[in-house]
Amino acid sequence: MRPADHGRPTVADVHGDNYFAQVAQKHWLLKARVVKVKQEVLKNDIWDALESEGFQFRSLLILENLQILESYLWPGYTEESSNYQVLLIALIINVKSRENLPTWGEFVLHVFTKKPVEFSSLFRRILSMTLDNSITLGIRTHLLSFLINAFQSLDSGLIRKECAPLVSISIWHNLASDSFRESRFEKHGQLKKAWRAAAKRYDAADEPTKAKSRFDRSWLYTMMLDFLSRLFQSTDKPAENVLYCERFLEFLADLESQVPTRRYVNTLIQDLNILPAIRLSVLYNDEDNGLLRDLVNLLRHFVFFTIDDNTGLQYSPTEAYENHSATLAQLQRIVLKHFKSKLTILALSNYASIDQRDELEGHLSSLDDVELTELCILLGFRTSYPKFADIVVDRPLLIEIIVNAHERRKTFQEVVREFSILPTETTLFETTLLRNETYNGSRPLAIPKLNLQYLTVGDFLWRSFILHRCESFFEIRKDMEDALKRLQPRARQPSGDIGFEGFSKMALPIPRPAILEAAPPKVGEDKPVFVRAEVTLDVSHLNDNVRREWDSLRQDDVVFLMAVQAPDEHQMGTDSHLKSGAANRLGLVHLRTAEIMQVFDENGRSLRDHQSDQTNGYVHRARSRRLIVKLDPVMYQSDIKRTAKGKPDVYGSMNIVVRRKGRENNFKSILESIQSLTLSDIPIPSWLQEVFLGYGDPAGANYTRLSSKLKAVDFRDTFLNWQHLVEGLPGKTIEPADNQDFSFGPPYILETGSAPSQPVPVKPSKKRRRDQAEPEQQSQNALRVSTYKPPNTGPYPADAPKLNQVRFTPAQIEAIVSGTQQGLTIIVGPPGTGKTDVATQIINNLYHNFPEQRTLLVAHSNQALNQLFQKIMALDIDERHLLRLGHGEDELQTDSSYSKHGRVESFLENRAHFLAEVDRLAINFEAPGAHGNSCETAGYFNSVYVKSAWTKYQDILHSPEASTAELIESFPFHSYFSNAPQPLFPSNASKDTMLDISTGCYRHIQKIFSELEDIRPFEILRTSRDKANYLLIKEARIIAMTSTHAAMRRQEIAGVGFHYDNVVMEEAAQITEIENFIPLALQNPKDGELHLQRVILCGDHLQNSPIIQNLAFRQYANLEQSLFLRLVRLGVPTVNLDQQGRARASIAELYKWRYCKLGNLPIVENDLEFQTANAGFRDEYQFIDVQDYKGVGEMEPTPHFIQNLGEAEYAVAIYQYMRLLDYPASKISILTTYAGQRSLIRDVLSHRCAKNRLFGLPKVITTVDKYQGEQNDYIILSLTRTRTPGYLRDIRRLTVALSRARLGLYILGRREVFESCYELKEAFDRLFKRAAKLMLVTGETFPTKRLLGERQEGTEMEGVEHLGKYVFEITKAKIEALRGGQGTVVEELEEATASAQSDNETVEEVGDDEGGDRDGNSINLQAEQGV
């Protein structure tokens, strides 16, 4: 084992003898006030030291950890600051961005916005330095990275103000000719207006402003010319030059990928002939510059993306082809007019024959240089550059310019269609993918980024498909590599056959697969329709657990067939499929994907039908399994052609089959869903489109801006009483409707005082805004309230509706009102603020207000979805309208099954019950016949007997002469309701009461027939599949599923005709953006649009984001971005829940600073539970400084599997102490920040507590990430790290960790690691105010009567050994106390305690057969058992 370091700065670097640490302590760390920057210190002590070592990233990271930016550089910055200070600020901001730390978002908000003038000065100076050739190219590359980061953060007004002028229409001053610019104006008249407006602003400005404007409009133009000249230059530092060019290509691609920055830049790029020049450059044609070429391809994709740069509208395939044809037609007209003698064939050829590169080059070769120049001028292309650019316009460039503009390119959809979603040895080890794996932030990557804005929905889907495909292949490759390393393939001598010296439970050696059938191809295709093969597994040597895992393979599961040779065999290097060194080193020759069709045992029985290997008590040991699999027809056809050319048979060499864990192996169905959406041109609702893409009015999808705003809404049981209504709508004028008195009870119908609002003009005049503002505000603040008497639902207690009991806060009411209205609602819910209750009430309101609408409920995890679903089940919602899709339904804590097949069974069970009730009704009427035989006969009975009897009784009810006694006597259902609470009719009931009761009885009866009518289709439909599909598309009104299930089953669900009107997403901030999008597109469009009426996103972007393992996709491509976070950054209106009811007020203070105006519910302030101290502890929360245990801190037995034995021992000791004081185990959870530490704590617990009745196991031992959304009364948290903070520098993760506890939080960590983190300062400053050693209170047991505010002297625990000894003494005392009449129990306790107390006992990880999960092998730690 080795310490976890990875070359990153450690505590020793920040607090020890490191050179920069000493400089920091001398000049800013130990200063109590704002320090003055000494320029000689910057130059001599910092800059020169960095420059001498080549600006190593580790040194820059140490300076960032020493808070040089926050405490020194920026506070001391002025307009007179030196260039060194400016450059250091840019370098440190780049470090923060590379580390994925807050830079432009929260940092700008809290730091830069306090000095906006200085920030503008800083930004301008950086822009100037990028053009300064006296600055080294390496430093200019860093400055370019600074600007790339800035343009990725345009949600910040401070940044946007500086960046916008650089890409405004004024840059068109640099176009080659006025005529070229005028041609653009002719296409879009508003461009001419924008040009004139810019000119007017320039003319009206003073001279300094004019100078600034001239610089702004020429900056990008100058940068592009400099870039072009560098492409052709030879330099003494070629690596620096290539890196700079790569960064500049990244910059251009970023500008092109968002409409606001692309609108004018794309024209300038095309005018300067950037792409043709790059194609002919020295750097592009250097074989070593593969990354640069890939970046050029990415830039080319965006430059020629089929979109109108001005309007942002995507061209349809037809429109794109028409535009392309018009360009070719213009070329033909010009050559026919001016070069008829040489280019007649080109002028008369059809488009398909001249839009190919080779054909065009052949035609143009007949022109001389002068004619080529003339043709370019006639076509409107630039043929000259400024002298300082040093760009030669020669014949190859002129031809390339013309060809580049007229050749046909594949659309992004055609490219996506050609991508395979099933990996092979070639695609898994592509250079591009391997480059992503080694990403460390030092160079860009040729992959798209998820930005704040997208060009079109298709552009978003294209980026998502590319990134998710790359991520899936990355994870598959890691699994394949892990399996091969464990199997250890070796060549047997002297035969040369391949043997396997190791073992992997995820991979098995196999004989050659047998191809069973290759179905003939369809007409017009050359690939087989399907290919079936048989794979035989030898499972005789597997233990039962591993064999059951292989037996659990289900239909459509994906496995991987591999051909492997010994890694050291020389002949593998000559195989054409092993061009990649990585595959060669592993010995991987071929890899093919297969889908499971069936699994058979050695007797040919399907394992789906035969699950038991037991006969008469004897367990038969399985020897083999047969897998019937489907192969990829495309790759099979390619392999057949390869074999026909004399190359070895791919399938004959297959010798390994590999499976993956089920949750990780759904890549195929998810990629298929994204691919099909990308190819489908699926629209999103018109009211949501601009907001989704990031353009227009951020509030444009809010219900207050939509013309479809509902005038009146029934809020049913949302408000508990009139006082709650008034308190819940502060600032609103509440007026009773229809002359009703004040203070009447619920239900309440709220009606706005005006007609539905109309869409607000994009830019209304100031006078119109003034005229409209006051009346609109008054109408929005005035609410008319009416009520009604809820209908009587029947005489049985079960008929009574379930009413809400939650007293919602004003913010929660605002969220419920917004969610019930049409449009987009974003609910930001900090920990404990009741997001789930709000979402539940919204769904309840939608269910009752809109009985024809259907709601889709989505969450990230099964756990969160089940919590929400269980709350919905507790409301007044008919369970026949609820449906839960996915395997997580099994975890629902309910007797009923809400899966598709469970619901079908429930319908059939209800059928029997309701038909029995029909028989009882038949007895009531003394009606002979089998009326309860079927739903159909029940319907006839209802029409003939029930309805006619009720009609007659209605006549009597409304007769003025009828007395109460006559009404009771003539009631037609006395016999049926004889089992209801009696008397059915009170003796003194009025006629109105009689009418109400009888109507309720009839409503109860009609509900029976209504349900039978709904059940009737299940009598008619024969197959289970038809019944399940009918349930999904017709019967269910609230359908719940995880985002993963939606992504996997999108095509299947949409294909059966599923439709819905509303989407509610829980945990929306934890879902990747494509998984946010797919639930919006889970139905096929109607009339060219998705008819969604509401999208409700609930989440908290200040807690954990989606988990993405690969650094490249997480940080560079921003794949961890959720739609929720992006919309919040764009300024879309949110409803912020502002009162928490989970934690003690003091514990909530640890994370409240992260949220704006987060307060406490009255229950937190007043309830005795929150005011009572924690028994045995002096403090309700405490940070316990844990030093090295036996001289060892954190350790890393395998990469990323980080453990800390001292903290593990301490956590278990605290748990044992709490259990000895009678704390319930169910109220205690142990959390840690790393999976390795979780495994270690589980091992220690299994040794010390699992078999001891005094202790048992806590409710949960898991990681912080897995516990988001959960809570418990008492949390023991192990931070694990002792050298660096690790990923806890991500404040979102710390927010989750600190907000899980309700009553007690005890944190184990190393103080010096976290006290220097600027991002964590607010939280840890509060924690560090208390004692660093655990303070206990003796003589207490749970629960104590001591109040929290009572001052109590504590007993200090010096360390884990001290606490362990104390726990041991308490354990012995407790056993002594139990003596007397419980001998057996005491003996067991003594034995368990003695076992746990044995010295030098070995703590072993409870791992699998391979010695652990994929993230770490088993460990064997010699640990002294002091507890």
Side-chain angles (χ1 to χ4, degrees):
M1 276 184 294
R2 56 188 175 84
D5 188 353
H6 307 299
R8 305 185 67 77
T10 64
V11 173
D13 292 318
V14 178
H15 296 283
D17 297 331
N18 179 275
Y19 170 77
F20 291 113
Q22 293 179 349
V23 172
Q25 291 169 9
K26 181 178 179 181
H27 293 288
W28 68 83
L29 275 187
L30 302 181
K31 306 293 183 181
R33 55 186 177 81
V34 177
V35 296
K36 183 178 180 181
V37 175
K38 299 178 181 179
Q39 299 303 321
E40 63 272 13
V41 172
L42 285 179
K43 173 66 172 67
N44 301 329
D45 295 350
I46 300 177
W47 182 265
D48 288 348
L50 289 171
E51 189 174 37
S52 66
E53 62 183 28
F55 298 95
Q56 288 186 10
F57 181 71
R58 190 173 190 275
S59 297
L60 291 170
L61 195 53
I62 290 174
L63 285 170
E64 192 279 326
N65 276 270
L66 292 167
Q67 302 178 24
I68 187 174
L69 179 63
E70 300 89 346
S71 302
Y72 192 59
L73 294 176
W74 182 244
Y77 176 80
T78 64
E79 294 187 19
E80 289 75 34
S81 295
S82 68
N83 284 347
Y84 297 110
Q85 189 168 348
V86 173
L87 292 172
L88 282 171
I89 289 175
L91 289 173
I92 299 302
I93 286 181
N94 287 347
V95 170
K96 284 182 172 290
S97 177
R98 184 165 161 179
E99 288 293 289
N100 208 27
L101 296 173
T103 48
W104 301 117
E106 297 177 29
F107 194 75
V108 164
L109 181 64
H110 294 104
V111 179
F112 287 151
T113 49
K114 296 178 182 178
K115 300 168 64 176
V117 175
E118 287 80 0
F119 179 78
S120 180
S121 165
L122 172 75
F123 200 90
R124 308 298 303 176
R125 291 179 67 175
I126 289 176
L127 289 175
S128 299
M129 288 179 182
T130 58
L131 302 176
D132 188 352
N133 288 321
S134 66
I135 297 176
T136 65
L137 195 58
I139 296 300
R140 290 173 64 189
T141 304
H142 286 295
L143 296 178
L144 188 55
S145 296
F146 173 92
L147 294 173
I148 290 171
N149 294 331
F151 273 93
Q152 287 290 310
S153 306
L154 296 179
D155 52 311
S156 167
L158 199 65
I159 306 296
R160 190 167 57 248
K161 179 182 176 182
E162 302 301 329
C163 292
L166 304 176
V167 292
S168 70
I169 197 171
S170 297
I171 65 174
W172 281 11
H173 280 281
N174 304 294
L175 296 181
S177 64
D178 293 341
S179 60
F180 181 70
R181 185 169 55 243
E182 289 298 327
S183 66
R184 292 294 189 269
F185 292 159
E186 291 175 3
K187 293 182 179 179
H188 299 286
Q190 60 268 41
L191 291 178
K192 185 70 171 179
K193 295 180 181 178
W195 178 261
R196 290 172 178 170
K200 287 182 180 179
R201 288 193 297 271
Y202 179 82
D203 293 338
D206 55 20
E207 192 54 40
T209 305
K210 286 183 178 179
K212 177 180 178 297
S213 298
R214 288 192 295 270
F215 176 85
D216 288 343
R217 71 194 188 193
S218 63
W219 177 81
L220 184 59
Y221 172 73
T222 307
M223 290 285 287
M224 287 182 179
L225 291 177
D226 177 69
F227 164 71
L228 287 177
S229 63
R230 293 190 177 279
L231 289 172
F232 295 90
Q233 285 179 358
S234 58
T235 174
D236 56 345
K237 295 183 178 179
E240 278 191 1
N241 191 48
V242 171
L243 178 57
Y244 177 85
C245 291
E246 289 171 349
R247 283 293 182 195
F248 195 79
L249 286 168
E250 177 193 359
F251 179 57
L252 291 181
D254 285 353
L255 294 180
E256 288 284 284
S257 64
Q258 300 185 89
V259 169
T261 54
R262 169 196 179 90
R263 181 169 286 121
Y264 308 116
V265 170
N266 194 39
T267 299
L268 183 61
I269 286 177
Q270 295 187 39
D271 174 71
L272 287 172
N273 304 312
I274 296 287
L275 289 174
I278 292 174
R279 188 181 179 93
L280 298 177
S281 68
V282 175
L283 291 185
Y284 182 86
N285 291 284
D286 187 335
E287 291 185 0
D288 295 332
N289 296 334
L291 174 58
L292 185 139
R293 283 191 294 275
D294 290 341
L295 285 165
V296 171
N297 291 334
L298 182 63
L299 175 62
R300 183 180 291 112
H301 163 83
F302 284 118
V303 168
F304 293 107
F305 194 85
T306 53
I307 185 178
D308 187 310
D309 292 338
N310 184 57
T311 63
L313 297 177
Q314 181 177 332
Y315 294 127
S316 66
T318 302
E319 291 171 331
Y321 181 74
E322 289 175 351
N323 292 338
H324 174 63
S325 300
T327 304
L328 293 173
Q330 181 193 24
L331 172 65
Q332 288 182 319
R333 287 194 298 270
I334 289 174
V335 300
L336 186 62
K337 181 177 181 181
H338 298 278
F339 309 98
K340 184 176 181 180
S341 60
K342 293 186 177 182
L343 296 178
T344 302
I345 297 178
L346 186 153
L348 300 179
S349 299
N350 60 59
Y351 296 152
S353 64
I354 62 172
D355 63 2
Q356 303 301 313
R357 171 171 287 272
D358 293 341
E359 292 289 333
L360 266 176
E361 288 177 345
H363 288 300
L364 296 174
S365 62
S366 60
L367 300 180
D368 57 33
D369 293 357
V370 175
E371 291 171 326
L372 280 172
T373 303
E374 182 184 357
L375 177 56
C376 284
I377 293 173
L378 291 170
L379 290 170
F381 299 135
R382 178 188 288 268
T383 58
S384 63
Y385 294 86
K387 292 183 178 179
F388 70 85
D390 195 24
I391 299 172
V392 178
V393 181
D394 53 11
R395 179 181 181 85
L397 180 59
L398 293 172
I399 292 178
E400 180 61 31
I401 290 171
I402 299 172
V403 172
N404 179 73
H406 295 89
E407 68 176 329
R408 185 185 181 280
R409 297 173 183 83
K410 293 180 181 178
T411 65
F412 72 93
Q413 290 172 318
E414 291 173 327
V415 172
V416 167
R417 185 179 286 109
E418 293 175 358
F419 272 118
S420 172
I421 59 175
L422 298 176
T424 66
E425 73 283 355
T426 304
T427 55
L428 277 190
F429 291 91
E430 285 179 349
T431 305
T432 304
L433 292 179
L434 295 175
R435 194 186 295 132
N436 297 337
E437 187 174 344
T438 58
Y439 172 77
N440 61 9
S442 61
R443 300 182 74 176
L445 294 172
I447 54 176
K449 301 176 183 178
L450 298 186
N451 295 336
L452 273 174
Q453 301 165 315
Y454 301 108
L455 300 178
T456 65
V457 174
D459 171 47
F460 160 71
L461 291 170
W462 173 80
R463 298 189 207 191
S464 298
F465 176 76
I466 297 296
L467 292 175
H468 280 271
R469 179 178 180 269
C470 289
E471 188 203 18
S472 297
F473 283 15
F474 161 77
E475 292 176 350
I476 292 170
R477 184 174 68 253
K478 300 303 289 184
D479 286 342
M480 299 303 108
E481 289 175 351
D482 180 71
L484 288 179
K485 289 175 182 177
R486 292 180 185 274
L487 284 174
Q488 301 176 30
R490 298 288 185 270
R492 295 192 180 109
Q493 299 299 332
S495 65
D497 296 338
I498 300 300
F500 300 95
E501 298 180 359
F503 171 76
S504 171
K505 71 173 187 177
M506 307 304 291
L508 291 176
I510 58 172
R512 170 178 178 165
I515 305 298
L516 301 179
E517 179 183 10
K522 295 180 179 179
V523 176
E525 296 182 357
D526 63 347
K527 65 175 183 179
V529 174
F530 63 85
V531 180
R532 290 194 306 122
E534 180 181 284
V535 178
T536 303
L537 308 180
D538 179 4
V539 297
S540 59
H541 64 290
L542 302 179
N543 67 38
D544 290 341
N545 289 335
V546 176
R547 179 179 54 77
R548 278 193 291 268
E549 290 180 10
W550 281 96
D551 289 348
S552 66
L553 288 172
R554 296 175 299 177
Q555 186 175 1
D556 298 330
D557 281 354
V558 176
V559 295
F560 301 88
L561 305 177
M562 291 197 292
V564 177
Q565 295 184 7
D568 56 350
E569 289 199 11
H570 175 72
Q571 64 267 26
M572 287 196 317
T574 61
D575 193 293
S576 61
H577 285 264
L578 284 179
K579 296 178 182 178
S580 167
N584 198 349
R585 287 191 297 271
L586 290 169
L588 177 61
V589 183
H590 301 295
L591 182 144
R592 296 293 179 266
T593 306
E595 291 182 75
I596 299 293
M597 298 179 68
Q598 285 181 300
V599 182
F600 295 103
D601 63 11
E602 59 262 40
N603 298 316
R605 295 175 297 184
S606 173
L607 293 190
R608 293 191 62 180
D609 306 324
H610 174 70
Q611 295 294 332
S612 176
D613 288 323
Q614 201 173 75
T615 305
N616 297 325
Y618 170 74
V619 178
H620 170 70
R621 186 167 186 82
R623 302 190 61 83
S624 66
R625 294 288 185 256
R626 289 171 47 235
L627 308 182
I628 306 301
V629 299
K630 290 188 296 185
L631 301 178
D632 179 13
V634 176
M635 281 310 304
Y636 178 80
Q637 183 65 22
S638 174
D639 293 334
I640 293 298
K641 292 179 180 179
R642 181 179 182 274
T643 305
K645 294 179 181 179
K647 294 185 178 181
D649 179 16
V650 171
Y651 301 96
S653 59
M654 296 291 181
N655 52 5
I656 294 178
V657 61
V658 183
R659 63 182 175 89
R660 300 176 72 215
K661 295 179 181 178
R663 292 186 177 181
E664 302 167 355
N665 205 30
N666 50 27
F667 75 96
K668 179 177 180 290
S669 53
I670 292 177
L671 288 179
E672 283 178 339
S673 295
I674 304 174
Q675 188 180 45
S676 67
L677 284 172
T678 309
L679 299 176
S680 66
D681 281 328
I682 193 161
I684 57 177
S686 55
W687 56 267
L688 182 61
Q689 180 158 340
E690 283 196 356
V691 172
F692 177 83
L693 294 177
Y695 309 124
D697 181 8
N702 189 266
Y703 78 95
T704 59
R705 300 292 182 89
L706 297 178
S707 59
S708 57
K709 177 182 176 183
L710 301 173
K711 185 177 180 182
V713 177
D714 181 2
F715 284 94
R716 303 186 75 254
D717 56 351
T718 302
F719 302 96
L720 303 184
N721 50 46
W722 184 268
Q723 182 183 2
H724 185 206
L725 173 68
V726 175
E727 292 174 352
L729 298 168
K732 303 288 186 183
T733 303
I734 310 297
E735 301 174 353
D738 303 327
N739 299 320
Q740 289 179 307
D741 296 331
F742 282 92
S743 302
F744 51 84
Y748 298 117
I749 299 176
L750 301 188
E751 184 178 354
T752 55
S754 64
S757 59
Q758 299 299 319
V760 177
V762 176
K763 289 186 179 180
S765 66
K766 291 183 179 179
K767 181 177 185 303
R768 180 174 297 178
R769 289 200 298 269
R770 287 195 301 269
D771 293 343
Q772 290 180 349
E774 187 174 347
E776 286 181 1
Q777 188 66 31
Q778 291 177 353
S779 65
Q780 289 177 6
N781 289 337
L783 294 175
R784 292 166 54 84
V785 183
S786 60
T787 189
Y788 60 91
K789 182 180 179 181
N792 189 315
T793 54
Y796 298 99
D799 291 331
K802 304 170 187 175
L803 299 179
N804 163 59
Q805 301 299 323
V806 178
R807 192 176 186 86
F808 293 111
T809 67
Q812 290 175 323
I813 294 294
E814 182 185 355
I816 293 170
V817 169
S818 178
T820 307
Q821 288 278 357
Q822 297 182 9
L824 172 65
T825 299
I826 299 179
I827 303 170
V828 178
T833 52
K835 295 188 297 291
T836 305
D837 288 329
V838 169
T840 302
Q841 190 62 29
I842 291 173
I843 293 168
N844 191 29
N845 288 347
L846 295 177
Y847 176 84
H848 290 283
N849 276 279
F850 309 100
E852 300 303 318
Q853 293 187 11
R854 315 177 80 215
T855 299
L856 178 63
L857 180 58
V858 178
H860 168 64
S861 64
N862 281 310
Q863 194 171 21
L865 189 63
N866 288 343
Q867 287 179 353
L868 182 54
F869 201 72
Q870 283 169 332
K871 290 196 173 188
I872 293 172
M873 291 189 297
L875 295 177
D876 188 29
I877 294 177
D878 196 326
E879 72 170 25
R880 63 192 166 125
H881 294 142
L882 297 175
L883 179 61
R884 169 71 164 87
L885 300 181
H887 298 296
E889 189 272 339
D890 300 335
E891 301 168 12
L892 275 173
Q893 298 175 2
T894 175
D895 295 333
S896 302
S897 174
Y898 289 89
S899 66
K900 281 197 292 187
H901 296 292
R903 285 289 81 207
V904 170
E905 292 299 320
S906 176
F907 267 87
L908 297 178
E909 290 172 7
N910 290 341
R911 171 182 177 274
H913 168 72
F914 290 129
L915 290 177
E917 292 296 295
V918 172
D919 286 334
R920 286 186 59 230
L921 278 168
I923 294 172
N924 178 88
F925 288 108
E926 298 180 353
H931 302 293
N933 188 52
S934 68
C935 297
E936 184 178 10
T937 58
Y940 292 142
F941 173 77
N942 182 35
S943 300
V944 174
Y945 288 92
V946 179
K947 288 185 176 180
S948 60
W950 177 249
T951 302
K952 293 178 182 177
Y953 184 65
Q954 284 282 87
D955 295 338
I956 299 174
L957 270 175
H958 294 93
S959 172
E961 294 83 12
S963 65
T964 302
E966 289 175 338
L967 291 176
I968 294 174
E969 183 180 355
S970 58
F971 182 67
F973 306 111
H974 276 296
S975 175
Y976 177 76
F977 287 107
S978 60
N979 60 351
Q982 301 296 325
L984 194 61
F985 298 100
S987 57
N988 58 348
S990 66
K991 196 168 184 180
D992 288 341
T993 303
M994 290 287 301
L995 177 61
D996 183 59
I997 293 173
S998 59
T999 303
C1001 291
Y1002 183 68
R1003 188 172 285 111
H1004 173 89
I1005 292 172
Q1006 285 306 304
K1007 184 180 178 183
I1008 294 173
F1009 292 103
S1010 172
E1011 296 220 18
L1012 285 171
E1013 187 63 28
D1014 289 340
I1015 294 170
R1016 186 176 177 185
F1018 296 96
E1019 286 186 337
I1020 301 170
L1021 297 170
R1022 293 303 176 191
T1023 67
S1024 299
R1025 183 183 183 86
D1026 289 341
K1027 292 176 182 178
N1029 288 340
Y1030 178 85
L1031 175 70
L1032 174 65
I1033 64 178
K1034 292 292 185 182
E1035 192 61 34
R1037 287 178 51 198
I1038 298 174
I1039 303 95
M1041 66 184 75
T1042 63
S1043 56
T1044 302
H1045 184 86
M1048 291 173 59
R1049 304 294 182 188
R1050 191 264 162 191
Q1051 296 182 81
E1052 175 186 335
I1053 293 173
V1056 298
F1058 177 58
H1059 69 280
Y1060 52 97
D1061 307 274
N1062 315 301
V1063 176
V1064 178
M1065 287 192 205
E1066 180 71 297
E1067 292 182 328
Q1070 284 187 270
I1071 304 174
T1072 60
E1073 194 158 9
I1074 187 63
E1075 290 180 319
N1076 284 132
F1077 178 85
I1078 289 177
L1080 306 182
L1082 213 55
Q1083 58 185 335
N1084 292 323
K1086 293 182 180 179
D1087 303 323
E1089 187 170 324
L1090 295 177
H1091 292 284
L1092 279 179
Q1093 298 194 33
R1094 295 169 186 82
V1095 175
I1096 301 154
L1097 306 179
C1098 306
D1100 182 5
H1101 58 292
L1102 298 181
Q1103 295 189 59
N1104 279 346
S1105 61
I1107 304 299
I1108 304 298
Q1109 297 295 337
N1110 184 271
L1111 184 68
F1113 305 127
R1114 182 173 69 249
Q1115 291 187 9
Y1116 183 84
N1118 204 20
L1119 192 56
E1120 68 172 2
Q1121 174 174 273
S1122 65
L1123 176 63
F1124 187 96
L1125 172 61
R1126 185 167 68 87
L1127 294 179
V1128 170
R1129 289 181 62 194
L1130 285 167
V1132 175
T1134 61
V1135 181
N1136 301 301
L1137 306 186
D1138 56 6
Q1139 289 183 274
Q1140 70 89 22
R1142 170 185 294 172
R1144 297 184 193 269
S1146 56
I1147 294 178
E1149 288 293 331
L1150 297 174
Y1151 55 86
K1152 278 171 61 173
W1153 60 274
R1154 290 278 290 153
Y1155 302 93
C1156 180
K1157 299 178 181 178
L1158 178 60
N1160 301 313
L1161 287 171
I1163 187 175
V1164 174
E1165 307 288 350
N1166 305 324
D1167 195 87
L1168 183 61
E1169 180 185 36
F1170 292 100
Q1171 303 307 314
T1172 304
N1174 296 338
F1177 295 93
R1178 191 187 73 177
D1179 301 308
E1180 72 280 16
Y1181 72 83
Q1182 193 177 355
F1183 181 93
I1184 303 154
D1185 190 16
V1186 182
Q1187 295 302 311
D1188 288 352
Y1189 182 66
K1190 303 299 181 183
V1192 179
E1194 67 177 77
M1195 297 299 290
E1196 192 173 11
T1198 58
H1200 312 298
F1201 199 71
I1202 300 173
Q1203 299 180 322
N1204 184 324
L1205 183 58
E1207 288 188 19
E1209 294 281 8
Y1210 216 134
V1212 174
I1214 293 175
Y1215 169 71
Q1216 289 180 305
Y1217 172 71
M1218 296 178 73
R1219 293 289 291 127
L1220 290 170
L1221 299 189
D1222 293 333
Y1223 281 85
S1226 61
K1227 293 182 178 293
I1228 306 171
S1229 295
I1230 301 179
L1231 305 183
T1232 181
T1233 50
Y1234 288 88
Q1237 183 73 348
R1238 175 192 61 195
S1239 297
L1240 184 57
I1241 291 174
R1242 285 177 175 172
D1243 293 343
V1244 178
L1245 281 167
S1246 66
H1247 262 308
R1248 308 286 171 74
C1249 305
K1251 298 178 181 179
N1252 194 323
R1253 295 189 186 182
L1254 281 178
F1255 305 123
L1257 294 176
K1259 181 179 181 180
V1260 172
I1261 311 107
T1262 188
T1263 60
V1264 170
D1265 290 347
K1266 295 289 186 183
Y1267 207 60
Q1268 179 164 344
E1270 297 297 304
Q1271 65 183 35
N1272 208 346
D1273 287 357
Y1274 306 97
I1275 298 293
I1276 303 169
L1277 172 63
S1278 170
L1279 299 182
T1280 310
R1281 303 306 296 265
T1282 60
R1283 297 172 62 81
T1284 67
Y1287 61 56
L1288 267 182
R1289 282 203 74 182
D1290 186 343
I1291 185 62
R1292 297 172 299 183
R1293 185 168 275 108
L1294 183 67
T1295 302
V1296 176
L1298 297 177
S1299 59
R1300 300 305 97 198
R1302 295 184 65 249
L1303 305 176
L1305 174 63
Y1306 301 97
I1307 304 172
L1308 306 170
R1310 184 68 57 86
R1311 176 170 181 154
E1312 60 189 10
V1313 171
F1314 299 100
E1315 64 184 356
S1316 61
C1317 294
Y1318 178 82
E1319 297 80 15
L1320 314 180
K1321 181 177 175 58
E1322 288 278 357
F1324 280 100
D1325 279 355
R1326 290 174 168 83
L1327 288 168
F1328 293 157
K1329 289 178 181 178
R1330 301 195 174 185
K1333 295 182 179 179
L1334 180 63
M1335 303 300 294
L1336 304 182
V1337 174
T1338 59
E1340 286 187 337
T1341 58
F1342 178 88
T1344 183
K1345 294 183 178 179
R1346 175 168 56 94
L1347 296 180
L1348 198 60
E1350 296 179 10
R1351 189 62 188 168
Q1352 187 84 20
E1353 291 299 325
T1355 300
E1356 184 177 89
M1357 295 290 106
E1358 293 297 330
V1360 63
E1361 294 90 347
H1362 187 189
L1363 179 61
K1365 183 177 179 181
Y1366 185 56
V1367 168
F1368 182 59
E1369 294 298 329
I1370 299 176
T1371 305
K1372 289 199 300 183
K1374 188 144 191 174
I1375 292 176
E1376 289 294 330
L1378 291 173
R1379 290 189 184 278
Q1382 298 187 40
T1384 304
V1385 175
V1386 173
E1387 290 171 5
E1388 291 178 1
L1389 291 174
E1390 288 177 332
E1391 182 181 347
T1393 305
S1395 173
Q1397 198 57 28
S1398 59
D1399 292 333
N1400 298 320
E1401 192 171 9
T1402 301
V1403 178
E1404 296 182 347
E1405 178 183 357
V1406 181
D1408 53 31
D1409 303 277
E1410 300 173 55
D1413 293 334
R1414 55 179 292 185
D1415 53 359
N1417 297 320
S1418 66
I1419 59 174
N1420 192 19
L1421 297 177
Q1422 293 296 331
E1424 299 232 3
Q1425 304 299 307
V1427 182

